[in-house]
Amino acid sequence: MHEMTKGSNVGLAALSDDTGSVIVSLSWSSAAGAGDADVSVLLLGGNGKVRSDADFFFYNNPASPDGSVQLLGKTPTGSGSEDRISLDLTAMPPEVDRAVLAASQYGDARFGELDDLRLTLADRAGEALLGYTIAGATTESAFLFGELYRRGEEWKFRAIGQGYETGLAGLATDFGIDVDEGSEESGESDGLPAEGAVVEEVSAGKVLRAPAAAPGVTLPAQAARATAPDGVAAARARRPRTAKKKVTLPKAEKKSLAENDSWQAARLFPAGSLKSDREREGRATSVLLSVMAEVPEFGRRLTAAFGAPAGRMQTFTEVALPHGDSPKRPDGVIRVERAGKLWTALVETKTNGNPLRSEQVQNYLDIAARRGYEAVITLSNDVALEGRPLVQVKTDGRRKHKVALWHLSWAEVTYQAQTLIRHEGVGNAAHAWLLQELLHYLQHENSGCHGFQNMGPAWVPVRNGIDTETLCRGDARAVEVVESWERLIRQVCLRLGGELGQKALPVQRGRRGTDPQDRRAVLADRLCDEGRLSAELRVDGAPGVLALTADLRTGKLRTSIDVRAPEGGYPLTSAKRLIRLLAKAPADLHVETLVEGDNGPRGTLERLRPEPADMLPKGGDPITGFRLSLFKGMGATRGSAASGFIRSVDEAVDQFYASVVAQLPPPERRAARASDRVG
């Protein structure tokens, strides 16, 4: 991989023959597990300015209609996260000279709080071509990592590393987006502005405004998020919107005309008659691939992460391809045509708990290499882990043509469909209906597409070993359980993020640069010593990190969140305000007052409601915050269906978020003055 230095540039053609489409990754880490940033892309014309606000891409405007830019979202890494961007350079409009790659922090957060700021660029097959590390970040709240620019017919990359203490506003102003004063009285009537109007946040102060060639866009995640009164709806209400109206699912289903509950509505993709795994795999593959081809937004969202170009997509099933004495039949084939060129991927599907087989995947890789195909995509209920391939395959280094192996979980398919139809919207009502039918199929009990559902063969022996205190450090079965726990937490994040319409990521604490397998070995030893599995989830819009602990000795699940006490407020006022906010929370919610260097008072919400003063430390020590916790019994069963343990984890997270977290206001730094947000 070619390492860049600040100010250096390199032609992409000198690094690879396959750079028509590239994946750019911006990454960072935090030893504390806190801190995050949002990526953005600006397309610039020959004058160094955006042509219109349509050239500004962020998490709420994640893709261009022509497919030249698509934000692929975050994935957890080591002790941080990686935000990926797909850029189809062959689809880039000819009047665009540069694509600027940037990231910005929230409110008063600064990049000096993050470590390992790095950009990597990979070709269509996923092979890393270049890397650029930014060192010495301090008080900057926005950074230009680099840019892709044209030189004749060639695309080149330049490492920039320029920081802005003035945040997103300073960065945006440089590229032709104006910062205007807003009115504090401005609000929304039906959630959609008039055609051509610029969307302003409810709290307004300063907003970003671009040239009037297209409807305006709001600030990305740095913008204010108004506090709404009721649960998940409040979290959704805080998301900024673009002015473009899209079709989403109605909030409530229409009243059924059936005489009784035994009448089943006709479904486009019926699942009730499926009886064998072969039937499930064939039906699931055909259903998914057909919707991908008919709903371009959905198909592009799934394939862009695999290096596919934006173009006309066709999908096929049960295609016979020659291989030795007998032909092989992959479950599906995806083909995308762009400018007369074809991108092809073979698809191998598994449902229920059926594992992928190395020999089968190896055959498809060999076939793809011989036929000049670009990728093999495996699709199953399993969740891929960093540094832990699901199948072991060999790559023939003598072959010039490279074939990329990618994995997609059914949970991720469901997440992408939910995000589109329930939160971001699609282009027309027919596409919305197709996605709704797909979601119904994936969530049907007979589809076999329910995601990670089995803690594996090591689960019961490890639980028994902890119960009898016979599980020793270095036991390989403990590592297997830690891997299953990590898969479960990643799936919980996908499911929660899809329901809320917010980014949800697991927080992985550890020393930077630690090998993932070494990190899991340390966690396995801790499991042997303490008998507990722990995880942390960071949900966009939540006032803190959600902590989840499964105590295998007591059979209890604990979900908790630490909430900071307001600065400069009276302790009793803070305690009373918290009690008011938790008016709808369960009575058995545990509340612990956090003080420096000591344990503070604690009690259930039922006991503290009539006497908030009981939350105050007896010695008058300053309060740093409050820890809110719910305890729930932990399921014990396992099997091919949803296990009692996995179900109990899902239910614990859902109950805690809906009844506790959703009642709390967003973080203070996101509710700061608008002038702070943009500067």
Side-chain angles (χ1 to χ4, degrees):
M1 181 167 59
H2 182 71
E3 286 294 330
M4 308 285 291
T5 58
K6 185 173 182 178
S8 62
N9 60 75
V10 64
L12 299 186
L15 304 177
S16 173
D17 296 330
D18 190 14
T19 55
S21 177
V22 296
I23 302 292
V24 176
S25 301
L26 306 184
S27 60
W28 38 77
S29 67
S30 170
D36 198 6
D38 277 333
V39 302
S40 53
V41 178
L42 297 100
L43 303 184
L44 309 180
N47 62 351
K49 307 292 183 182
V50 295
R51 299 168 300 167
S52 73
D53 59 357
D55 286 339
F56 180 38
F57 301 95
F58 53 94
Y59 85 90
N60 205 30
N61 180 36
S64 60
D66 60 10
S68 59
V69 179
Q70 181 165 339
L71 308 189
L72 303 177
K74 298 180 187 294
T75 55
T77 62
S79 56
S81 63
E82 178 181 79
D83 226 324
R84 297 184 303 154
I85 306 162
S86 171
L87 295 165
D88 188 346
L89 301 179
T90 63
M92 201 68 70
E95 60 271 21
V96 171
D97 280 5
R98 287 191 286 159
V100 174
L101 311 165
S104 50
Q105 283 264 52
Y106 310 126
D108 57 356
R110 296 293 181 259
F111 275 94
E113 301 166 6
L114 301 177
D115 300 310
D116 304 321
L117 301 179
R118 183 168 172 82
L119 176 149
T120 57
L121 184 145
D123 63 13
R124 191 192 304 270
E127 181 175 341
L129 303 181
L130 62 85
Y132 171 47
T133 299
I134 295 177
T138 54
T139 59
E140 301 87 353
S141 55
F143 251 108
L144 294 183
F145 279 68
E147 66 179 8
L148 289 160
Y149 63 99
R150 297 183 195 261
R151 279 297 179 266
E153 298 298 318
E154 182 185 8
W155 281 92
K156 305 184 75 172
F157 174 82
R158 177 181 292 112
I160 299 178
Q162 177 184 345
Y164 287 78
E165 292 188 7
T166 52
L168 185 64
L171 184 154
T173 301
D174 277 1
F175 298 114
I177 298 177
D178 298 327
V179 180
D180 289 348
E181 295 296 329
S183 167
E184 294 185 1
E185 311 299 347
S186 65
E188 297 175 348
S189 53
D190 60 355
L192 290 171
E195 182 67 27
V198 173
V199 180
E200 297 180 345
E201 289 300 321
V202 174
S203 60
K206 292 184 179 180
V207 297
L208 291 185
R209 188 184 301 266
V217 298
T218 60
L219 282 170
Q222 288 78 1
R225 299 185 176 186
T227 302
D230 52 355
V232 174
R236 291 175 184 167
R238 290 193 295 268
R239 298 187 74 228
R241 292 185 288 254
T242 64
K244 184 178 180 181
K245 183 176 178 62
K246 292 187 177 182
V247 179
T248 58
L249 286 178
K251 294 182 179 179
E253 294 185 5
K254 295 180 181 179
K255 184 179 179 181
S256 174
L257 301 180
E259 289 184 4
N260 55 63
D261 292 341
S262 66
W263 287 22
Q264 299 294 320
R267 312 305 314 198
L268 179 64
F269 310 121
S273 61
L274 298 176
K275 297 179 180 179
S276 69
D277 285 336
R278 182 170 180 81
E279 284 182 287
R280 291 186 182 92
E281 289 174 7
R283 177 73 62 84
T285 306
S286 184
V287 167
L288 174 62
L289 296 187
S290 64
V291 176
M292 287 173 62
E294 293 301 321
V295 184
E297 304 98 315
F298 181 61
R300 176 63 182 157
R301 182 171 291 242
L302 290 181
T303 58
F306 305 144
R312 184 172 67 96
M313 178 185 295
Q314 283 193 350
T315 54
F316 309 86
T317 59
E318 295 297 329
V319 175
L321 298 172
H323 184 69
D325 297 333
S326 60
K328 300 295 180 183
R329 296 179 180 272
D331 292 311
V333 178
I334 302 173
R335 305 204 86 177
V336 181
E337 181 188 36
R338 174 78 188 178
K341 296 182 179 180
L342 284 175
W343 179 91
T344 306
L346 304 182
V347 180
E348 171 60 12
T349 303
K350 296 295 180 184
T351 54
N352 280 338
N354 298 317
L356 295 161
R357 294 191 289 120
S358 297
E359 179 183 2
Q360 200 170 27
V361 176
Q362 185 72 63
N363 287 336
Y364 295 144
L365 283 170
D366 293 341
I367 292 172
R370 286 200 307 270
R371 301 183 72 85
Y373 297 164
E374 282 71 23
V376 172
I377 301 171
T378 57
L379 178 60
S380 74
N381 281 321
D382 215 340
V383 178
L385 299 180
E386 182 186 10
R388 187 72 165 85
L390 291 175
V391 291
Q392 298 292 336
V393 294
K394 297 179 180 178
T395 302
D396 190 345
R398 296 171 297 178
R399 286 193 173 124
K400 183 178 179 180
H401 182 75
K402 296 177 294 184
V403 179
L405 177 61
W406 304 97
H407 179 71
L408 188 65
S409 71
W410 285 113
E412 187 171 354
V413 173
T414 301
Y415 164 77
Q416 296 290 5
Q418 284 179 316
T419 301
L420 271 176
I421 189 58
R422 293 179 178 171
H423 307 293
E424 295 179 4
V426 291
N428 60 53
H431 291 172
W433 180 69
L434 280 172
L435 283 175
Q436 184 175 8
E437 289 296 299
L438 172 65
L439 276 175
H440 183 273
Y441 177 86
L442 294 176
Q443 295 168 347
H444 192 282
E445 61 182 8
N446 208 26
S447 70
C449 304
H450 304 128
F452 179 72
Q453 296 291 301
N454 196 315
M455 290 295 289
W459 175 240
V460 171
V462 166
R463 288 194 66 166
N464 291 339
I466 290 174
D467 187 50
T468 59
E469 298 186 8
T470 57
L471 188 67
C472 301
R473 281 176 164 243
D475 194 318
R477 296 173 301 179
V479 177
E480 291 181 34
V481 169
V482 167
E483 290 178 348
S484 295
W485 173 252
E486 187 175 336
R487 289 187 172 97
L488 173 58
I489 295 303
R490 293 200 178 192
Q491 180 166 288
V492 167
C493 288
L494 287 171
R495 186 181 54 78
L496 188 63
E499 290 293 334
L500 297 173
Q502 304 284 2
K503 293 174 290 185
L505 287 173
V507 176
Q508 295 179 347
R509 300 184 188 274
R511 293 195 311 176
R512 297 185 298 277
T514 302
D515 181 85
Q517 288 302 98
D518 293 341
R519 174 176 56 81
R520 293 176 189 123
V522 171
L523 295 176
D525 287 343
R526 188 178 302 167
L527 170 63
C528 297
D529 294 340
E530 302 173 358
R532 291 194 294 265
L533 292 165
S534 299
E536 292 179 310
L537 287 64
R538 184 172 61 241
V539 182
D540 192 21
V545 173
L546 277 68
L548 177 63
T549 301
D551 193 326
L552 276 60
R553 288 176 176 159
T554 63
K556 294 288 187 180
L557 281 169
R558 173 177 179 158
T559 46
S560 63
I561 189 171
D562 289 358
V563 182
R564 290 191 303 176
E567 296 181 4
Y570 291 104
L572 183 57
T573 302
S574 299
K576 289 181 176 180
R577 179 174 181 269
L578 181 65
I579 295 297
R580 287 197 303 271
L581 289 171
L582 297 172
K584 298 181 181 179
D588 60 348
L589 177 71
H590 284 239
V591 181
E592 178 184 355
T593 303
L594 303 178
V595 296
E596 293 184 5
D598 197 4
N599 294 327
R602 65 183 69 187
T604 63
L605 192 58
E606 182 179 31
R607 185 179 70 81
L608 295 172
R609 274 174 175 154
E611 295 293 342
D614 289 349
M615 299 168 60
L616 305 184
K618 299 302 182 185
D621 295 330
I623 297 174
T624 60
F626 303 94
R627 178 167 296 153
L628 312 176
S629 306
L630 273 182
F631 293 87
K632 176 182 174 62
M634 189 172 69
T637 60
R638 68 184 182 94
S640 58
S643 76
F645 175 71
I646 292 176
R647 188 183 299 114
S648 65
V649 171
D650 286 337
E651 291 173 353
V653 172
D654 288 348
Q655 180 191 10
F656 186 71
Y657 198 95
S659 63
V660 179
V661 180
Q663 313 305 320
L664 302 172
E668 289 185 12
R669 68 181 183 185
R670 297 199 186 185
R673 299 186 311 273
S675 58
D676 294 334
R677 285 193 305 274
V678 298

